Amino acid sequence: MHRFFVEPNQIIEDEIRIVGDDVKHIKNVLRMNKNDEIIICDGHSNDYYCIINSIEGDYINTKIVTKKQSVTELNTKIYLFQALPKQAKMELIVQKAVELGVYEIIPVITERSVVKINKQNGTKKLARWNKVAESAAKQSKRGIIPVVNEIMNFEEAIEYSKQLDTIIVPYENAKNITETKEFINNLDCKRIGVFIGPEGGFSLNEIEEAKSSEANIITLGKRILRTETAGLAILSLLMFQLEEE
């Protein structure tokens, strides 16, 4: 069943009105009709199973049949602090991170980041990344649309992460995979921050700054992972560990 997101104010009693780009997608791409069934999510983990009542020029009215709590969200919120990668890798990272259950994505400019983004270009990229996040949330049947936050420098990202319960930093020079396994297996917190470095890795100064903020510096094994691989590797481990029945 096709899935769409709406703002809570679009839900009025037993009806939901769909507006915006989804209207064209439903009409012209999916070619849905009156009485077809769809799932509508309010972005707060509430799923509404609906039937289409009417298809108008710029909106679609639906009738709520039943409401259920979304079961696709982790109880732990994972914040991905992703150093800006080269080329179009960020779109892939956003897409797969959303599929793997991330709660929020924070693009980070680090010492070794090659990508240079000005304010105007950054605004366009953020809009595109959030569109990718929305599409991935629909595809993976998420109960929320994870937000891609404003671009931060490393110091701002560390400060932002201090609100979280624990911080994880995979680092190519870290050792002892046994400690990593024990750490992952014993995780018990509500908000986790994961820092992923750029193509050249984190600088020693950044690692020391992370340590001073009580970050957990871990290894993901003996192989050197690309930046677009490292985040997905640790997110997969966390999802597997934190997933509940």
Side-chain angles (χ1 to χ4, degrees), residues 1 22 27 29 36-37 65 79-80 101 104 120 138 146 153 193 196 233:
M1 199 179 300
D22 284 336
K27 290 166 56 176
V29 179
D36 283 346
E37 299 177 342
V65 177
Y79 295 71
L80 175 63
E104 184 177 311
Q120 182 179 8
K138 291 177 182 177
N153 62 39
I196 301 298

Side-chain angles (χ1 to χ4, degrees), residues 42-57:
D42 63 2
H44 296 277
S45 294
N46 295 309
D47 290 340
Y48 297 84
Y49 291 74
C50 304
I51 58 171
I52 295 176
N53 258 352
S54 65
I55 300 177
E56 309 299 338

